Amino acid sequence: MTTEVLQVIRSDGSVQKKLEPTLSEEMLRKLYRTMVQVRALDEKGMLLQRTGKIGFYVPSGGQEASQVGAVAALDAGDWLFPTYRDPGMALWRGASFREMLAHEFGCAEDRSKGRQMPNHYAFREMKYVSISSPIATQIPQAVGAAMAAKYRKTKEIVLTSMGDGGTSEGDFHCGMNFAGVYKAPIVFYCQNNQWAISVPLSGQTASESISVKAKAYGFPGVTVDGNDVLAVYSAVRQAADRARAGGGPSFVEALTYRMGPHSSSDDPKRYRPAAEEEEWRQKDPIDRFRNYLKKQGIWTEAWEKETWDGVRADLNEATKQVEALGPPTISSMFDDVWSSIPPVLQEQKDSLIEYLKKGELKDLGGAFPL
Amino acid sequence: MATLTLLQAVNDGLRTEMRRDDRVVCLGEDIGINGGVFRATEGLQKEFGAERVIDTPLAESGIIGTAIGMALYGLKPVPEIQFMDFIYPAFDQIVSELAKFRYRSGGQFPSPVVIRTPYGGGIKGGHYHSQSAEAYFCHTPGIQVVIPSTPHDAKGLLASAIRGEDPVLFMEPKRIYRSIKGEVPEGEYTVPIGKAAIARPGTQVTIVAWGSMTHIALEAAEKAQEEKGVSCEVLDLRSLVPLDKAALLESVKKTGRVVIVCEAPRTGGYAGELSAIIAEEAIDSMEAPIVRVTGFDTPFPYTLEHAYMPNTGRILKAIDTVVNF
């Protein structure tokens, strides 16, 4: 038994008409541009880490179509419970490079006030929920938000993202099970990028696919070509429509590939063959979509250059701006633990401020020595 | 005012807050039609419906995880963990998620969940129905740890917890769920979190306790007065986090002698933290060493629980130690 893999754009850019979504040219261009933004942010992020400007980076190259196609299929008011490999979901919803980089640098302007490692974004107004490092914890949380939306009788739905590794966690089971029982308006979205750091999919599950697991929880699951932005869009759109109409949860598995290391601290040469990476490089999601846009008569050499140049210029400008920003004040360390600071913590804050007056503790702003 | 058991006060507190605010929802194992295994949620599903009093699948991490999502969305969820001994599957959701959401998001995503859970020994529950696991959570910045010892405080503190903006672990002393009765005002009122109560005023020894141990401490204080003429003050902390340090220090500076009662295992327990605070900040006032009366560093035993748990005799011995130093 094998699970069918839905595809819209064949590798040469031609189309399986039956599944092709009807999207405006403007939307198609935005999809492409956002995928380019993700790729460019990745290049910049790794460079900033390698040059010691930021402490860490989580690349998501190879998964541009998976991220962007999924978020594009939602309404702007829908909730996202993402992973640290979903910057494209924030960029699609309008996060600026300055906001993304302020977070990578952990500077005072960072929405999270420098409290988390890079790539753990949070954007309240975009309903892009604060990201955790522990794997799959967001899954039951997303189900809870969906249950709340159902109780409040809004038309909002929830999408939670996860990797293939995340599907091995207990919270995956809890979340899927709760959602099935309560018919929660949620889309479970797995970007199966084949590797959880050094463990391949075969070391993660003996299941024929990940999407087939949905059946045991009482709702449908499909597998799509995750490097095909339109296939992702169509499958997530269908799942989102179903949730919004009161049909309950769905599962979408996007087959993709983590082209880079797990993080800037990881070296994939230790555990996976270069030939496999090369094989997937041939399936590059941006190349695929470019072929489609060419066939549609939308893409031109000039537009390609304009898009990349524009994105890179934005990114360089944002980098320059963010590099000039300072770190959060040391005393801000004590903010936001509680809604208001209790006396015991206030004493600790006062004692640190008192110590700072001696001038022994220097501000480390921006310095991450290699 | 009605005379209620601590359990009835919890039930009344939940009902009152649910009537007051439709964002308040309860969820947990067997809390709906069954009204909870201790009946703390009895009648709530009938009044508020299955969408607000939710029987969940048997998965503690799922209960706390979904509660967090509800809170992020804007509800005020009050999940129940049936016995505190079963809270560990949800440890990651509580420690890594619930307690850190506000902080890690720079204040963008507060998640005010109130976790209710019966805790403690004295009910012949063996080690999976008797633990007092407060120390694990007191060690985690971002979650309040509140433990009432009277029906009045149970309802009032629960109301404060539900109306508050911070996550709360609300530990209910199940040993005294039904044995302790007291007057409870009808309708709405709150008892502030972070304020200790003097359960019995005294002058010579401070006995610090919380939850069901407060009552053992009171018995011991009574006996100390009757049998030895020693005047003990019993300080009921009511919330361990935030700690009412001012009340603690005021009492020990007055008496100069302190006995701390804690039914959890000794090593790494909250009594140790209190001892350190007193030693750091009130050593000049102390007439005797700080003495702890605690559970032992063993798993909680079944048959021998009477020998494991702090009792009046052990507290009296500790009082002797500090008085005769």
Side-chain angles (χ1 to χ4, degrees), chain A residues 35 65 90 101 120 122 130 215 283 287 309 315 330 334 344:
Chain A
M35 288 164 67
L101 289 171
H120 293 63
S130 167
K215 188 173 170 55
K283 302 179 194 170
D287 292 346
D309 287 353
L315 200 44
I330 289 177
F334 298 92
V344 169

Side-chain angles (χ1 to χ4, degrees), chain A residues 111-170:
Chain A
R111 294 290 188 89
S112 302
K113 304 182 186 171
R115 306 248 171 81
Q116 291 232 70
M117 289 172 90
N119 304 91
H120 293 63
Y121 314 103
F123 295 101
R124 177 84 216 186
E125 78 287 4
M126 295 178 205
K127 295 178 181 166
Y128 186 102
V129 173
S130 167
I131 292 164
S132 184
S133 297
I135 298 300
T137 52
Q138 76 279 9
I139 300 175
Q141 295 163 9
V143 175
M147 289 166 70
K150 189 177 178 186
Y151 165 57
R152 285 304 199 194
K153 298 187 169 51
T154 66
K155 282 290 164 197
E156 292 164 4
I157 66 143
V158 177
L159 178 138
T160 183
S161 198
M162 70 196 81
D164 39 310
T167 66
S168 299
E169 289 279 8

Side-chain angles (χ1 to χ4, degrees), chain B residues 83 120-130 174-175 300-307 309:
Chain B
F83 286 84
I123 61 147
K124 285 283 174 194
H127 57 218
Y128 295 126
H129 296 80
S130 302
K174 60 179 174 290
R175 180 189 197 175
F300 195 101
Y302 173 60
T303 305
L304 301 178
E305 77 169 352
H306 62 287
M309 293 188 68

Side-chain angles (χ1 to χ4, degrees), chain B residues 29 37-38 60 64 79-91 94-95 115-121 123 125-139 143-147 168-174 177 210 240 263-265:
Chain B
E29 296 157 8
V37 295
F38 289 101
E60 291 77 14
I64 303 304
E80 176 182 295
I81 297 296
Q82 198 166 76
F83 286 84
M84 190 171 206
D85 314 75
F86 306 153
I87 207 166
Y88 307 113
F91 198 69
I94 297 169
V95 171
I115 302 169
R116 291 182 40 251
T117 190
Y119 85 95
I123 61 147
H127 57 218
Y128 295 126
H129 296 80
S130 302
Q131 294 170 60
S132 302
E134 67 272 12
Y136 296 120
F137 301 96
C138 290
H139 192 60
I143 183 162
Q144 298 181 331
V145 179
V146 175
I147 312 179
V168 179
L169 179 66
F170 192 83
M171 293 170 57
E172 299 170 3
K174 60 179 174 290
Y177 254 162
W210 53 91
L240 306 188
E263 67 174 277

Side-chain angles (χ1 to χ4, degrees), chain A residues 19-291:
Chain A
L19 295 168
E20 188 186 12
T22 317
L23 299 178
S24 67
E25 185 179 322
E26 189 194 347
M27 176 90 159
L28 293 169
R29 285 183 191 276
K30 185 180 172 187
L31 284 168
Y32 189 78
R33 186 183 150 82
T34 310
M35 288 164 67
V36 167
Q37 282 185 310
V38 177
R39 178 79 45 104
L41 178 64
D42 237 31
E43 289 169 358
K44 179 63 83 180
M46 287 300 278
L47 187 71
L48 288 169
Q49 195 279 332
R50 295 301 186 225
T51 52
K53 298 275 180 63
I54 63 175
F56 182 74
Y57 192 78
V58 180
S60 63
Q63 297 177 221
E64 294 87 350
S66 295
Q67 299 169 50
V68 178
V71 68
L74 302 177
D75 287 355
D78 293 339
W79 285 68
L80 296 168
F81 284 74
T83 76
Y84 46 64
R85 233 179 285 281
D86 287 320
M89 294 191 184
L91 290 165
W92 176 266
R93 288 202 165 172
S96 67
F97 282 138
R98 178 168 172 150
E99 287 171 310
M100 305 297 278
L101 289 171
H103 171 71
E104 321 302 11
F105 277 80
C107 58
E109 195 181 282
D110 170 23
R111 294 290 188 89
S112 302
K113 304 182 186 171
R115 306 248 171 81
Q116 291 232 70
M117 289 172 90
N119 304 91
H120 293 63
Y121 314 103
F123 295 101
R124 177 84 216 186
E125 78 287 4
M126 295 178 205
K127 295 178 181 166
Y128 186 102
V129 173
S130 167
I131 292 164
S132 184
S133 297
I135 298 300
T137 52
Q138 76 279 9
I139 300 175
Q141 295 163 9
V143 175
M147 289 166 70
K150 189 177 178 186
Y151 165 57
R152 285 304 199 194
K153 298 187 169 51
T154 66
K155 282 290 164 197
E156 292 164 4
I157 66 143
V158 177
L159 178 138
T160 183
S161 198
M162 70 196 81
D164 39 310
T167 66
S168 299
E169 289 279 8
D171 275 347
F172 169 80
H173 166 68
C174 288
M176 295 278 279
N177 192 45
F178 274 57
V181 167
Y182 299 116
K183 288 203 178 345
I186 185 166
V187 180
F188 294 99
Y189 182 56
C190 176
Q191 294 177 58
N192 175 356
N193 70 12
Q194 316 300 324
W195 291 90
I197 307 189
S198 67
V199 177
L201 183 63
S202 60
Q204 214 61 250
T205 179
S207 181
E208 68 173 55
S209 72
I210 292 174
S211 65
V212 74
K213 296 184 182 198
K215 188 173 170 55
Y217 297 99
F219 51 87
V222 296
T223 300
V224 301
D225 181 340
N227 284 9
D228 172 352
V229 70
L230 297 185
V232 170
Y233 178 93
S234 292
V236 173
R237 183 71 198 210
Q238 202 177 358
D241 288 348
R242 183 180 129 87
R244 217 179 301 283
S250 305
F251 191 92
V252 178
E253 174 188 10
L255 294 179
T256 182
Y257 195 73
R258 193 194 78 209
M259 289 303 302
H262 162 71
S263 74
S264 53
S265 307
D266 176 42
D267 176 13
K269 287 193 203 76
R270 292 172 63 85
Y271 53 79
R272 73 182 185 190
E276 182 185 291
E277 291 178 16
E278 191 46 43
E279 192 186 312
W280 279 92
R281 207 177 308 282
Q282 300 307 314
K283 302 179 194 170
D284 186 295
I286 295 181
D287 292 346
R288 179 97 62 92
F289 194 39
R290 187 186 306 114
N291 288 340

